[in-house]
Amino acid sequence: MDAPSGLITTGRSTPQQRKHQRLSARTGSALGALALHVAAPAASPNPATAHTVTPLERAPRVVAAASRPPFHETPWFVLVLVTLGAAIVLGGYLWRRQRARQRSARLTARLEERRRAKTAIRASEEWFRAIFERSPLGIVLVGEDRHFLATNPAMSQILGYTPEEFRSMTIERITFEEDREGDETKLRALFAGEIPSITREKRYVAKDGHMLWARVTAALVPEQFGERKCSLAIVEDVTERKATEDRQMRMMAELDHRVKNNLAAVISLMHQTARRAGSLDTFMDRFEPRLVSLAKTHEALADAKWSGIRLGDAVRLIVMPYEDAGEGRISVQGDDLMLPADAATGVCLALNELAMNAVRHGALRYSQGRLAISWRVQGRECVEIHWDERRAGTRSEMAEPDLGSSGMGLDLIRGMIEHELGGDVTFEFGEHEMECRLIFPMTRGARDACAERA
């Protein structure tokens, strides 16, 4: 039998062929077809030489390939599943980690924002607390029941109460009695929403009992800014300003009164001097000094803002211009006494009349004459001025022309002291001296007591 072409045939399969067959069965490839075919030896007498080697050719028979297992049963499928699961787990972990970072960032931002807000609120509270504590004006919070809720140190300084004492009191307790009704009316309208704010000047009673003026500006604090409805008030002490205003009003009234009185005095002096004067020269000689004395008194009172003038200053103001005629022979002494403005004009005109008489007819007319002026206070109600003239000469030389013969000087002095001030005037004449005592009250209310002493 002829062997197929391309195979090496032999009578039996060799171990190498069997190996190739097994390999072909496992792999299903054609490698097993590539083998050597050893042909079976022909009938030959010599078997050793009967083998014939033919060229290697593709095996003519095809060994059936072994069947492959499904992919899901292979290790590759398990590997893919493990890899996919690992990828899913890792992706979920990374996603959750990213979300956690985002939440952490948002939480951190919120915490930081809350921290900044708390810091801003704390700074704002400290700022307003500093304003409340250091304000030079009084600041108070008052509840709808009129009780004090809070006060600052300036309010305690104004009225003398401590913050604890304020919280136990109402507005009515520290308000001057005459201002309570108007205060309550304004507060009632404020808390009812009828008016937006209050601005008024009122009187308070301090802890030590003295009364003071204050300018109060109050407004309602909305309820959303506090636990209860209350009003915020700014209190400014205006006691000094009110005193200045009152003093100015009194000064204006006093000025008006004084101007009228001075004009009346000038007219009266003019008429009385003209009535007693025999000529124009005599009139001018007597009227001018009296007018100058009145002007000096008015100037001194104006410099003192019409609060009064010291009696020593008034005496020197009137008498010392005659010092040249007296050549140092005038002595002045007395208590430190403030002469009220109401009495200053009359006293100065009386002293001026006495000084003119001393120069023309009395002690200062002669080189040996002496003038001593003294004063004292009697019982803190009356003032006594002692006018004492001493000179060498006879009594006829020390006549009293104006005080006796003409009557003008005496009438003026008595008119100023007795009628204007409600006092008393006495004269005593000696051979070489003349004494005059002027007694008058410090105030109009002391006239009766002063009259008893006189």
Side-chain angles (χ1 to χ4, degrees):
M1 180 176 181
D2 294 334
S5 176
L7 292 179
I8 300 175
T9 59
T10 182
R12 56 182 178 179
S13 62
T14 64
Q16 188 175 4
Q17 290 176 334
R18 288 193 299 271
K19 182 178 179 181
H20 282 291
Q21 290 175 357
R22 288 193 301 271
L23 181 60
S24 298
R26 288 194 187 102
T27 60
S29 63
L31 293 178
L34 298 178
L36 293 176
H37 178 74
V38 179
S44 170
N46 189 3
T49 60
H51 294 283
T52 302
V53 179
T54 59
L56 183 61
E57 296 179 357
R58 186 177 300 273
R61 68 169 181 256
V62 177
V63 180
S67 61
R68 298 180 182 180
F71 180 73
H72 64 276
E73 296 179 0
T74 63
W76 292 104
F77 179 74
V78 176
L79 180 60
V80 170
L81 290 180
V82 171
T83 303
L84 183 58
I88 293 174
V89 172
L90 180 60
Y93 168 75
L94 294 177
W95 179 79
R96 287 191 298 272
R97 183 178 179 183
Q98 182 65 23
R99 289 292 301 274
R101 288 180 178 178
Q102 292 175 354
R103 287 194 299 270
S104 177
R106 288 194 298 268
L107 180 60
T108 302
R110 291 176 183 174
L111 292 176
E112 180 64 21
E113 182 179 358
R114 185 176 299 178
R115 186 189 65 80
R116 287 196 298 265
K118 288 183 178 180
T119 302
I121 292 174
R122 189 180 302 110
S124 178
E125 290 176 350
E126 293 176 355
W127 184 53
F128 280 102
R129 173 61 61 180
I131 295 175
F132 185 81
E133 296 290 339
R134 300 180 183 180
S135 172
L137 303 178
I139 302 177
V140 298
L141 287 175
V142 180
E144 197 169 6
D145 57 356
R146 311 300 189 262
H147 276 84
F148 289 99
L149 302 179
T151 59
N152 70 335
M155 193 65 182
S156 298
Q157 186 176 2
I158 292 174
L159 294 178
Y161 293 101
T162 64
E164 292 74 16
E165 291 173 331
F166 271 117
R167 284 192 289 270
S168 64
M169 296 188 302
T170 61
I171 296 179
E172 183 180 0
R173 179 175 175 181
I174 63 172
T175 301
F176 193 69
E177 185 176 1
E178 296 180 1
D179 296 338
R180 291 176 182 175
E181 184 177 354
D183 210 22
E184 177 61 26
T185 302
K186 292 286 187 179
L187 283 174
R188 191 182 302 112
L190 178 65
F191 279 104
E194 299 174 359
I195 56 177
S197 63
I198 299 174
T199 300
R200 67 189 302 256
E201 291 184 353
K202 56 178 289 187
R203 288 166 290 183
Y204 284 114
V205 179
K207 186 176 182 179
D208 58 6
H210 78 276
M211 188 269 293
L212 56 89
W213 280 93
R215 178 181 176 85
V216 181
T217 303
L220 196 63
V221 178
E223 294 186 44
Q224 61 264 30
F225 293 104
E227 298 180 355
R228 55 193 300 186
K229 183 185 293 187
C230 63
S231 66
L232 173 67
I234 306 297
V235 181
E236 179 185 4
D237 187 357
V238 295
T239 305
E240 185 175 351
R241 178 175 64 79
K242 293 290 289 186
T244 301
E245 292 176 355
D246 292 342
R247 186 163 53 250
Q248 289 176 346
M249 293 179 63
R250 289 195 303 270
M251 286 177 59
M252 294 298 295
E254 184 69 21
L255 179 61
D256 180 66
H257 175 70
R258 286 299 165 187
V259 168
K260 292 178 180 179
N261 285 352
N262 287 338
L263 291 175
V266 170
I267 294 173
S268 177
L269 288 174
M270 181 184 66
H271 285 298
Q272 293 185 38
T273 305
R275 188 167 53 248
R276 301 288 183 176
S279 64
L280 181 60
D281 292 339
T282 304
F283 171 80
M284 292 299 298
D285 185 52
R286 294 179 177 179
F287 180 70
E288 185 177 0
R290 293 164 180 169
L291 190 60
V292 170
S293 174
L294 188 63
K296 289 181 178 179
T297 304
H298 184 277
E299 182 180 1
L301 289 173
D303 292 341
K305 298 181 179 179
W306 295 93
S307 60
I309 182 174
R310 296 189 180 281
L311 182 55
D313 296 339
V315 171
R316 293 181 180 87
L317 181 68
I318 299 302
V319 177
M320 285 308 171
Y322 303 105
E323 177 69 16
D324 293 341
E327 297 179 355
R329 292 173 290 147
I330 302 176
S331 64
V332 177
Q333 65 177 0
D335 300 334
D336 185 11
L337 174 65
M338 180 65 70
L339 197 63
D342 293 339
T345 301
V347 172
C348 289
L349 285 175
L351 292 174
N352 181 72
E353 201 64 31
L354 289 171
M356 290 173 58
N357 184 74
V359 171
R360 292 170 179 169
H361 312 289
L364 298 182
R365 181 178 180 181
Y366 304 97
S367 60
Q368 300 300 319
R370 295 288 185 272
L371 173 60
I373 307 172
S374 62
W375 61 89
R376 64 190 179 94
V377 179
Q378 298 181 354
R380 302 178 64 179
E381 296 177 340
C382 300
V383 179
E384 178 183 349
I385 300 177
H386 184 212
W387 183 283
D388 188 6
E389 295 185 29
R390 305 284 173 174
R391 69 171 175 84
T394 63
R395 185 182 180 190
S396 60
E397 293 175 334
M398 196 175 175
E400 40 180 322
D402 281 349
L403 299 177
S405 61
S406 65
M408 169 58 190
L410 180 61
D411 292 342
L412 181 62
I413 293 173
R414 291 191 183 279
M416 291 294 102
I417 301 301
E418 294 181 354
H419 301 292
E420 182 70 20
L421 301 180
D424 184 68
V425 180
T426 59
F427 288 97
E428 294 181 7
F429 294 95
E431 185 176 1
H432 302 290
E433 67 276 345
M434 189 276 290
E435 294 184 23
C436 177
R437 294 181 183 275
L438 309 177
I439 302 176
F440 57 90
M442 290 286 289
T443 61
R444 294 184 180 273
R447 287 190 175 189
D448 294 338
C450 193
E452 294 176 0
R453 294 178 179 275

